[in-house]
């Protein structure tokens, strides 16, 4: 892992804190002054999707904290933890330019001391789709997000709707554990051809990048045809085939569901979303759209 220590750039205003005690000191000083706090949890490699969360926090709260922590507990043994993109220096510069007040960038030992044992699981909603294909993923996400919320006690925390199931797992966890925070979902930010922004898009070769946009097109096709009354199971079968023929190497799932339980719908009942996860080469893409 590359650790960049920012010492020379005197124009950087953002405060960088690496300890929970330092974070708590700062939060309590803001609280004493009656200021509201927004939290934007990230794993770094920031793009316009993250920046839209940051902007929403800055626009709706007095102080914004962004966290930067690549959480090993949400990566499976065969996933991309070791080569997940990391560039703290450029993340710091971008967050500073946006006007973020504090970056919390703890070490692994600060978040998970050697004797760390607790896990938070959200069965039901966390057991389907991403929960099937990325075993342990939601336990890792729920555990780290609960810790970050308890460490910073924000009024609001901001998450992207690209990871729609993650957003609802976090909402359920916060409700069940009575964590006093508002979870705000923010719209997906897309490239001009529709590809949803993701830190992992960096892995795509030029040819894979062209193919990648077909996932979004596929979700739209399913949505349109479901609205026209076509049978969902047939639409999904046809769309999986089309994605595989257009260069995707594997389709983990395509599904129409509601956001209550993320169970697949056989017949369209609105509100509903189409969600998909598929592989282009070695890169796994996920995306979703609301059917409306
Ligand atoms: O969506 C992400 O980037 C991560 O899952 C999160 C919420 C920061 C937890 O590590």
């Amino acid at each position: 892992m590359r650790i960049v220590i920012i010492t020379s750039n005197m124009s950087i205003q953002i405060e960088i804190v690496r300890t929970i005690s330092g974070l708590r000191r700062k939060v309590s000083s803001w609280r004493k002054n009656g200021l509201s706090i927004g939290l934007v949890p990230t794993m770094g490699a920031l793009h316009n999707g993250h920046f839209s969360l940051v902007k929403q926090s800055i626009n709706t709260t007095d102080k914004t904290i962004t966290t930067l922590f690549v959480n090993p507990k949400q990566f499976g043994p065969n996933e991309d933890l070791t080569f997940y993109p990391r560039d703290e220096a450029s993340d710091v510069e971008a967050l500073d330019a946006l006007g973020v007040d504090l970056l919390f960038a703890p070490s692994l030992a600060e978040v998970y001391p050697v004797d760390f044992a607790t896990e938070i699981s959200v069965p039901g909603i966390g057991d389907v789709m991403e929960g099937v294909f990325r075993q342990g993923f939601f336990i890792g996400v729920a555990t780290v997000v609960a810790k970050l919320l308890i460490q910073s006690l924000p009024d609001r925390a901001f998450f992207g709707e690209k990871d729609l199931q993650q957003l609802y797992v976090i909402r359920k966890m916060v409700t069940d554990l009575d964590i006093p925070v508002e979870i705000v979902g923010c719209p997906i930010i897309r490239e001009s051809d529709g590809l949803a922004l993701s830190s992992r898009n960096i892995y795509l070769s030029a040819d894979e990048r062209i193919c990648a946009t077909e996932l979004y097109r596929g979700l739209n096709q399913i949505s349109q045809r479901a609205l026209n009354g076509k049978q969902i199971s047939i639409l999904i079968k046809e769309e999986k085939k089309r994605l595989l023929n257009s260069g995707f190497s594997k389709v983990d799932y395509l599904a129409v569901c509601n956001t209550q339980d993320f169970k697949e719908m056989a017949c369209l009942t609105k509100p509903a979303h189409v969600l998909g996860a598929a592989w282009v080469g070695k890169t796994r893409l996920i995306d979703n759209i609301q059917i409306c």
Side-chain angles (χ1 to χ4, degrees), residues 116-188:
F116 185 85
T118 301
E119 283 183 344
I120 298 179
S121 98
V122 185
I125 182 175
D127 287 339
V128 291
M129 287 186 290
E130 289 299 291
V132 172
F133 288 92
R134 300 188 68 189
Q135 299 251 325
F137 170 68
F138 286 128
I139 292 178
V141 169
T143 304
V144 82
V145 171
K147 280 175 71 75
L148 293 169
L149 292 173
I150 293 165
Q151 288 157 2
S152 55
L153 297 174
D155 298 277
R156 297 197 188 100
F158 299 82
F159 297 87
E161 287 174 353
K162 184 173 86 69
D163 298 287
L164 193 71
Q165 200 182 350
Q166 165 176 285
L167 171 66
Y168 281 85
V169 164
I170 291 167
R171 283 209 168 118
K172 178 84 181 113
M173 180 266 293
V174 158
T175 305
D176 287 355
L177 297 182
D178 307 308
I179 302 179
V181 62
E182 181 192 346
I183 300 298
V184 183
C186 303
I188 299 175

Side-chain angles (χ1 to χ4, degrees), residues 131 214 256 288:
E214 293 301 325
V256 174
N288 70 85

Side-chain angles (χ1 to χ4, degrees), residues 32-274:
K32 273 185 199 133
N33 289 314
L35 300 173
S36 63
I37 296 168
L39 183 78
V40 183
T42 83
M43 298 205 299
L46 303 178
H47 50 67
N48 283 336
H50 298 109
F51 302 149
S52 72
L53 311 182
V54 166
K55 284 178 194 159
Q56 196 157 339
S57 175
I58 289 176
N59 290 338
T60 56
T61 59
D62 297 318
K63 294 286 177 188
T64 291
I65 303 171
T66 299
T67 70
L68 194 172
F69 178 67
V70 181
N71 174 33
K73 287 202 187 291
Q74 68 188 74
F75 288 77
N78 300 317
E79 293 186 13
D80 54 345
L81 174 62
T82 42
F83 53 95
Y84 192 83
R86 291 164 171 89
D87 189 350
E88 185 178 305
S90 85
D91 290 345
V92 166
E93 225 173 282
L95 294 172
D96 184 58
L98 285 169
V100 168
D101 299 282
L102 189 144
L103 174 68
F104 179 49
S107 67
L108 184 62
E110 184 71 5
V111 180
Y112 299 122
V114 276
D115 58 347
F116 185 85
T118 301
E119 283 183 344
I120 298 179
S121 98
V122 185
I125 182 175
D127 287 339
V128 291
M129 287 186 290
E130 289 299 291
V132 172
F133 288 92
R134 300 188 68 189
Q135 299 251 325
F137 170 68
F138 286 128
I139 292 178
V141 169
T143 304
V144 82
V145 171
K147 280 175 71 75
L148 293 169
L149 292 173
I150 293 165
Q151 288 157 2
S152 55
L153 297 174
D155 298 277
R156 297 197 188 100
F158 299 82
F159 297 87
E161 287 174 353
K162 184 173 86 69
D163 298 287
L164 193 71
Q165 200 182 350
Q166 165 176 285
L167 171 66
Y168 281 85
V169 164
I170 291 167
R171 283 209 168 118
K172 178 84 181 113
M173 180 266 293
V174 158
T175 305
D176 287 355
L177 297 182
D178 307 308
I179 302 179
V181 62
E182 181 192 346
I183 300 298
V184 183
C186 303
I188 299 175
I189 305 296
R190 299 183 180 279
E191 302 280 7
S192 54
D193 64 359
L195 179 69
L197 296 197
S198 162
S199 303
R200 289 186 169 99
N201 290 352
I202 202 173
Y203 300 151
L204 297 167
S205 68
D207 285 348
E208 289 169 348
R209 171 65 188 80
I210 293 167
C211 163
T213 191
E214 293 301 325
L215 179 58
Y216 179 58
R217 182 173 302 169
L219 299 181
N220 278 294
Q221 300 260 19
I222 293 174
S223 169
Q224 278 313 310
R225 297 178 72 200
L227 284 168
N228 290 338
K230 293 267 171 3
Q231 200 181 321
I232 290 174
S233 61
I234 295 176
L235 292 179
I236 291 202
K237 204 166 149 201
E238 287 177 0
E239 196 49 47
K240 276 187 184 165
K241 201 165 149 199
R242 195 191 68 82
L243 285 177
L244 293 171
N245 287 338
S246 59
F248 275 76
S249 39
K250 198 165 134 221
V251 179
D252 281 352
Y253 61 82
L254 288 172
V256 174
C257 2
N258 63 40
T259 50
Q260 293 289 85
D261 53 16
F262 282 85
K263 290 221 176 93
E264 290 189 38
M265 277 179 200
C267 300
L268 182 62
T269 321
K270 291 204 270 179
H273 282 76
V274 198

